[in-house]
Amino acid sequence: MRVKVAEVMARDVPVVEGDTPFKTVAQALIAADVGAVPVVDAQGRVMGVVTDADLLLKEEFKDQYAHEGYRPPLRARLRHLFGREGRGGRAKSRGDTAAELMTTPAVTIGPGTAVVFAIRLMDEHGVAHLPVVGTDGALEGMVGRHDLLRVFTRPDADIAHEITTDILGRSLFRDMSMVDVTVDQGVVTLAGRLRRRSDALTAARLARGVNGVVDVVDRLEWEEDDTHTWRHR
């Protein structure tokens, strides 16, 4: 059973409205010690997200000396040009309210979604925080990259039980009871002897997909190598 977003997300998160002043947004981030805050409408639906990076643009583009003419590095300019925030960094640096600072539309996720899809969604859109919303679009929480790291703090015993009972125990292979599963610091070791090599490869692949697994040491042996037939399919 994959770990769901609801199991790792922060539920008590600060929110701001579109007309919230810049300084109040900054104070909300600092008080809650978070890197992003959702911007919601009167019904609690997420309109966008303001991050600490959005606020820091105010200083990044502030001329420290007259006619300094600061230009961001090329990589930063390309990110602002082609990134999902839409508005350039200099335009955001002139923002005074949450609505002028936020990235919109926000990339959101449902509480019942597996954390692996949250990780992929963050990578796809280049964001570090996702508002968690219900079916009505109302905010239920917030999940950040540091929250997703919690999957790697799962007890070894829980990982071993899931692999033994839910993964291998419920698989289609009748001889999976011959597999010995041990877990140490998230590293899974599979040992034993199976009839087919394909079953051994499948067991290792399924174990590697369990949340919290750092690595899989495959020490499984087999009697029959049936993998040569895969090349002809």
Side-chain angles (χ1 to χ4, degrees):
M1 298 176 61
R2 292 188 171 184
V3 176
K4 302 296 192 297
V5 168
E7 300 176 54
V8 299
M9 72 179 186
R11 297 181 182 274
D12 186 17
V13 297
V15 298
V16 297
E17 298 180 345
D19 59 354
T20 302
F22 180 104
K23 191 169 185 176
T24 304
V25 176
Q27 291 170 338
L29 291 172
I30 294 171
D33 193 23
V34 294
V37 60
V39 184
V40 300
D41 61 16
Q43 288 72 44
R45 294 188 294 263
V46 179
M47 301 165 50
V49 174
V50 178
T51 70
D52 47 10
D54 294 326
L55 298 183
L56 290 175
L57 290 171
K58 182 74 72 175
E59 286 295 321
E60 179 181 353
F61 286 94
K62 183 183 295 182
D63 287 347
Q64 296 179 357
Y65 306 99
H67 309 296
E68 180 188 24
Y70 169 73
R71 278 175 60 92
L74 176 60
R75 179 180 298 180
R77 298 203 302 273
L78 291 175
R79 185 178 69 251
H80 292 314
L81 180 63
F82 297 107
R84 68 169 311 277
E85 64 263 26
R87 303 174 67 234
R90 190 172 292 277
K92 277 194 175 187
S93 72
R94 294 190 289 267
D96 295 327
T97 65
E100 296 169 337
L101 297 163
M102 69 182 181
T103 296
T104 186
V107 181
T108 62
I109 197 166
T113 308
V115 295
V116 63
F117 295 111
I119 296 170
R120 293 171 183 172
L121 195 61
M122 287 181 182
D123 185 52
E124 177 184 353
H125 292 278
V127 297
H129 305 84
L130 297 173
V132 184
V133 300
T135 55
D136 59 352
L139 182 71
E140 295 190 8
M142 195 82 165
V143 63
R145 288 175 178 166
H146 65 284
D147 298 312
L148 300 178
L149 285 175
R150 293 177 185 171
V151 299
F152 292 111
T153 66
R154 295 183 69 193
D156 290 340
D158 290 356
I159 296 175
H161 181 269
E162 180 175 347
I163 294 174
T164 303
T165 304
D166 297 330
I167 303 299
L168 303 183
R170 297 180 183 179
S171 68
L172 300 177
F173 313 115
R174 289 176 293 181
D175 55 354
M176 283 299 175
S177 60
M178 303 299 293
V179 177
D180 180 56
V181 179
T182 58
V183 184
D184 181 28
Q185 296 294 312
V187 177
V188 178
T189 300
L190 302 178
R193 188 174 184 84
L194 299 174
R195 189 166 69 85
R196 293 187 294 267
R197 184 185 183 190
S198 60
D199 290 351
L201 294 174
T202 300
R205 177 177 58 82
L206 292 175
R208 188 169 282 108
V210 172
N211 288 142
V213 170
V214 176
D215 198 2
V216 174
V217 179
D218 184 0
R219 294 178 178 169
L220 292 171
E221 300 178 349
W222 62 89
E223 299 175 1
E224 172 189 346
D225 185 356
D226 59 335
T227 59
H228 64 281
T229 59
W230 295 358
R231 303 187 186 95
H232 305 293
R233 294 179 182 177

